Amino acid sequence: MATARFQPRRSVQQVEEGAELAPRFGPDGLMPCVTSDAGTGEVLMLGWMDAAALALTLETGEAHYFSRTRQALWRKGATSGLVQRVVEARIDDDQDALWLRVDVAGSGASCHVGYRSCFYRAVPFGRDADQPLAFTEDRKTFDPDEVYGDAPNPTRL
Amino acid sequence: MATARFQPRRSVQQVEEGAELAPRFGPDGLMPCVTSDAGTGEVLMLGWMDAAALALTLETGEAHYFSRTRQALWRKGATSGLVQRVVEARIDDDQDALWLRVDVAGSGASCHVGYRSCFYRAVPFGRDADQPLAFTEDRKTFDPDEVYGDAPNPTRL
C-alpha cells in the first residue's frame, strides 16, 4: 500500500522545509484538498481525502476523495465519467492540505449540481454586502438527474 | 453584526440553487477557505473561517481567518503587513467552503514560512511516486524571523 510512503512527523523543520511527505490528517482522519483546472486555474471544488484516497491519487494519477456524506472512498468520475487526471499535486507548509491541478474528462465539469465549478456563485462584499449571491455560470454543463439518477444528493443541511 | 445576513438553511434547493448566503460551518464552527492570487490564479493558502471571520471578510473586503493554533480571530497581515484584499469571493454548491481571489499587499507572500504560496512543494505521483517533494519556489520572499520575531510557529506536529 502506498501509504507506506507517508513519513512520521518528527519536527517542524522536517514538515515545513523537508522533502519527505509527512501528511497530517484531522481528528476525523481527513485532509482538505483544493482542486483547480490545470488550464484555466479556476478552483473546481474543495474535497476531502483520507490516507487511502491520498495514496490512491498519488499512485494512479487520478483524483480520489473520501465522501463525508457516504463515508466511503470515492474515485471522482466513477459515476459521472468526469474523471480528474492529476497534472500537478502540491502539499502545503504544515502538510495538512493538498492542492491538485487537474484536467477533467468529458464535459469538464466537477460539480454534482451540474456546473463546471462547485464555486458557481459570487458573494458580494464591501459596499455590496447586502446584495444576493450572483451566479458566475449561466448554464449547467450536464443534467444531474440524467447522470446520477436517484442517487442521494450529497448536500447536507 | 454582519452575520445577521447569514440565512438559515431550509432546503437543498435553497442552498444549491438559491441566491441567499446560508453558510454551513463544521462541528468545530469552522469552514475551509481557499485563497488564490487574483492575478496569477496560484493557490496561496487553505485557511479556516468561523462565522465572525467570514462576516468581517465580507464587511471589510480584507481576508480574516480563524487561527486553529491560537484559537483566535486573525486579520491576515496584522503582524506581517501582508494584507489580502478581496477581489472576488465565491461560495460552493453546499455552502460549506469559500474561495477568495485576493491581491496581496507588500511582497505578495501569504505563507508564514516565507514563501509566496503555502503550497511551495510539489508531490511526485504516478511513476515518480517514490521521489522526494520538489520545491516550486527557489527562495523565500521574506525572513520569517524578522517578521514574526519569537511568535510561536503555528505548525502542529
Side-chain angles (χ1 to χ4, degrees):
Chain A
M1 185 62 176
T3 51
R5 180 188 168 201
F6 299 166
Q7 299 298 312
R9 295 165 69 90
R10 294 185 304 269
S11 71
V12 170
Q13 169 74 19
Q14 170 223 11
V15 167
E16 291 186 346
E17 307 274 8
E20 292 178 343
L21 183 58
R24 182 179 198 272
F25 298 89
D28 53 4
L30 303 179
M31 167 185 290
C33 171
V34 182
T35 303
S36 66
D37 184 296
T40 65
E42 184 179 40
V43 174
L44 299 173
M45 56 182 283
L46 189 290
W48 298 87
M49 290 185 177
D50 62 358
L54 176 56
L56 273 167
T57 298
L58 298 177
E59 204 175 287
T60 64
E62 288 181 357
H64 290 68
Y65 302 95
F66 184 85
S67 164
R68 294 183 301 172
T69 306
R70 289 184 283 119
Q71 289 286 307
L73 184 73
W74 162 40
R75 175 176 166 259
K76 179 71 182 170
T79 303
S80 64
L82 304 169
V83 171
Q84 296 176 339
R85 192 176 61 78
V86 179
V87 173
E88 189 181 31
R90 295 211 206 164
I91 193 92
D92 78 340
D93 44 17
D94 54 355
Q95 301 204 28
D96 67 358
L98 195 74
W99 171 23
L100 292 183
R101 295 176 53 234
V102 303
D103 281 336
V104 184
S107 71
S110 287
C111 173
H112 78 278
V113 181
Y115 295 103
R116 192 178 60 240
S117 163
C118 294
F119 295 88
Y120 51 81
R121 286 170 297 184
V123 186
F125 60 93
R127 71 182 67 182
D128 297 320
D130 59 345
Q131 295 299 305
L133 304 180
F135 282 71
T136 59
E137 299 187 31
D138 56 4
R139 61 183 191 83
K140 299 189 181 188
T141 60
F142 67 89
D143 177 352
D145 290 339
E146 219 168 84
V147 169
Y148 297 110
D150 53 5
N153 187 303
T155 291
R156 297 174 296 179
L157 290 183
Chain B
M1 185 60 176
T3 52
R5 180 188 167 201
F6 300 166
Q7 299 300 311
R9 294 165 69 91
R10 294 183 305 268
S11 71
V12 170
Q13 169 74 21
Q14 171 222 11
V15 167
E16 291 186 346
E17 308 274 8
E20 293 177 343
L21 184 58
R24 183 179 198 271
F25 298 89
D28 53 3
L30 303 179
M31 167 185 291
C33 171
V34 182
T35 303
S36 66
D37 184 296
T40 66
E42 183 178 40
V43 174
L44 299 173
M45 56 182 283
L46 188 292
W48 298 87
M49 290 184 178
D50 62 358
L54 176 56
L56 272 167
T57 298
L58 297 176
E59 204 175 288
T60 64
E62 289 183 353
H64 290 68
Y65 302 96
F66 183 86
S67 165
R68 295 182 302 173
T69 306
R70 288 184 284 119
Q71 289 286 307
L73 185 73
W74 162 39
R75 177 177 165 256
K76 179 72 182 170
T79 303
S80 65
L82 303 168
V83 170
Q84 295 176 340
R85 193 176 59 78
V86 179
V87 173
E88 190 182 31
R90 294 210 207 166
I91 193 93
D92 77 341
D93 43 18
D94 54 356
Q95 301 205 28
D96 66 359
L98 196 74
W99 170 23
L100 291 184
R101 294 176 54 235
V102 303
D103 281 337
V104 185
S107 70
S110 286
C111 173
H112 78 278
V113 181
Y115 295 103
R116 191 178 61 240
S117 163
C118 294
F119 294 88
Y120 51 81
R121 286 170 297 183
V123 187
F125 61 92
R127 70 182 65 182
D128 298 320
D130 58 346
Q131 295 299 307
L133 304 180
F135 282 72
T136 59
E137 300 187 31
D138 56 5
R139 59 184 193 82
K140 299 189 179 188
T141 60
F142 67 89
D143 177 351
D145 291 338
E146 218 167 87
V147 169
Y148 298 111
D150 53 5
N153 187 303
T155 292
R156 296 175 298 178
L157 291 183

